[in-house]
Amino acid sequence: MAASASPSPPSSPAAEGIINVFWDDGMLNHDTGKGVFDTGIDPGFLEVLEKHPENADRIKNMVSILKRGPISPYISWHSGIPAHIPQLLSFHTPDYINELVEADKAGGKMVCDGTVLNPGSWGAALLAVGTTLSAMKHVLDGHGKIAYALVRPPGHHAQPTMADGYCFLNNAGLAVQLALNSGCGKVVVIDIDVHYGNGTAEGFYRSNKVLTISLHMNHGSWGPSHPQNGTVDELGEGEGFGYNLNIPLPNGTGDRGYVHAMTELVVPAIQKFEPNMIVLVVGQDSSAFDPNGRQCLTMDGYREMGRIVRSLADRYSGGRLLIVQEGGYHVTYSAYCLHATLEDGG
């Protein structure tokens, strides 16, 4: 489908069931401000400052397209609830959580480059975690097969001990830990955000119960908050050796390249692992128009990856699938790519 095309009506996979979308307006209270791109800095010589890429507008359009778009009849909406501090400690260290709590009490701070905790941000972060956990619990309890946690702030860069890349708390990582604690023997995470899902990988780097797979732009480390390179030789450690699969892709890989990577690398890895729960970590910043990525994916590519993941869930996890929102910074096209993913992924 051309990049400018409209969303398609749901094909048979989507029509066979309901997508349970978990969302709460309170996550809009995370105000990332304005400046030069993601710095929050006004240099004093520009007439027009831009919104931080991770702003509320992007998520409003995602909510809107799911409420008004062609698959809206197949969506069931659910509210989220804030997470409690003890729940965060299944993935994050107490010292790190205390650091965030104190920063919130002090009125906020720039936690790391591009990642600012402003008044309202901590409450939104707790709500993002709680909403994701609610989505996972919905699936684990058998109330629905497919749940989508439409959340912000994003989370997949947040490591057990530090924030990174617009992320404070690792929403997907905490949901994976909930699945493990609830009796799931093996969980796979498939991360298609344009950036390496380093925080999730770090959290399970020594575990053989979680297979973390990340398809990402070959960007390498971007500093102290993101020491991981996302290269093929980062395979895990100890019992987790061989359970971290990094698939760094060259700029401009596009639809055919991503689908090839999915069919030739991701599918065989999952066939060997045989998970009983699948988590799709989705970012639309791999799209052709995204300001934070250069991967040239279109709606067609997202639609096909959604189809592949849905078929994997049907085969290995009894259809159980949790989808967790991450990046995606083109305010309009990100929403279209999300819709495309869910057309066959739901």
Side-chain angles (χ1 to χ4, degrees):
M1 180 177 291
S4 60
S6 298
S8 300
S11 57
S12 56
E16 289 172 1
I18 294 294
I19 305 170
N20 296 279
V21 177
F22 286 74
W23 160 251
D24 194 286
D25 288 348
M27 287 179 279
L28 300 176
N29 294 332
H30 175 45
D31 184 357
T32 46
K34 293 183 179 180
V36 176
F37 198 58
D38 64 3
T39 65
I41 295 173
D42 179 355
F45 45 76
L46 293 176
E47 178 68 22
V48 179
L49 297 176
E50 57 189 321
K51 289 184 177 181
H52 188 288
E54 204 296 281
N55 61 69
D57 289 348
R58 56 181 284 269
I59 219 82
K60 287 178 181 177
N61 267 351
M62 292 178 187
V63 173
S64 179
I65 202 168
L66 296 185
K67 287 188 173 180
R68 305 178 188 179
I71 65 170
S72 60
Y74 305 99
I75 289 176
S76 175
W77 289 89
H78 305 264
S79 297
I81 57 173
H84 300 294
I85 296 296
Q87 292 176 289
L88 309 179
L89 303 181
S90 67
F91 187 92
H92 296 287
T93 62
D95 285 348
Y96 172 56
I97 296 303
N98 288 338
E99 175 190 341
L100 293 177
V101 169
E102 292 304 315
D104 177 57
K105 289 179 180 177
K109 72 173 185 177
M110 182 75 76
V111 183
C112 61
D113 288 348
T115 308
V116 57
L117 189 80
N118 283 327
S121 299
W122 181 236
L126 291 174
L127 192 51
V129 170
T131 300
T132 308
L133 293 177
S134 294
M136 174 61 91
K137 192 172 187 303
H138 189 83
V139 174
L140 293 174
D141 289 347
H143 299 309
K145 296 245 176 142
I146 300 166
Y148 167 45
L150 179 49
V151 294
R152 72 180 287 266
H156 73 146
H157 296 311
Q159 296 155 73
T161 61
M162 61 179 162
D164 178 37
Y166 314 162
C167 304
F168 306 105
L169 301 171
N170 198 306
N171 306 312
L174 284 154
V176 169
Q177 193 60 56
L178 174 62
L180 295 174
N181 293 344
S182 301
C184 284
K186 292 187 289 186
V187 181
V188 65
V189 178
I190 308 167
D191 189 329
I192 61 171
D193 186 279
V194 80
H195 305 108
Y196 176 34
N198 62 312
T200 315
E202 184 70 23
F204 300 106
Y205 208 61
R206 294 156 190 84
S207 173
N208 59 5
K209 295 180 179 179
V210 182
L211 173 62
T212 48
I213 303 174
S214 179
L215 293 81
H216 50 267
M217 178 174 63
N218 189 13
H219 50 67
S221 171
W222 58 53
S225 69
H226 190 105
Q228 300 87 359
N229 289 306
T231 52
V232 295
D233 57 351
E234 292 175 351
L235 297 169
E237 293 178 352
E239 289 186 348
F241 184 77
Y243 292 88
N244 187 64
L245 175 59
N246 290 339
I247 307 174
L249 299 167
N251 289 1
T253 292
D255 295 345
R256 291 178 63 188
Y258 265 81
V259 171
H260 183 77
M262 289 289 290
T263 56
E264 298 299 318
L265 297 173
V266 176
V267 170
I270 292 175
Q271 288 174 338
K272 183 177 180 180
F273 184 62
E274 296 185 334
N276 41 35
M277 184 66 204
I278 295 179
V279 177
L280 175 63
V281 175
V282 62
Q284 297 79 25
D285 43 6
S286 300
S287 83
F289 305 116
D290 202 273
N292 259 13
R294 304 290 181 269
Q295 292 305 77
C296 297
L297 274 173
T298 70
M299 292 168 65
D300 269 350
Y302 280 101
R303 185 178 295 110
E304 180 62 14
M305 286 194 287
R307 186 197 65 78
I308 291 170
V309 172
R310 172 66 190 271
S311 66
L312 287 167
D314 286 342
R315 181 173 180 180
Y316 293 104
S317 61
R320 298 190 305 173
L321 172 64
L322 172 68
I323 305 167
V324 183
Q325 181 62 43
E326 295 291 347
Y329 307 106
H330 193 284
V331 171
T332 54
Y333 197 53
S334 290
Y336 276 73
C337 291
L338 167 65
H339 190 284
T341 306
L342 297 181
E343 287 169 22
D344 279 314

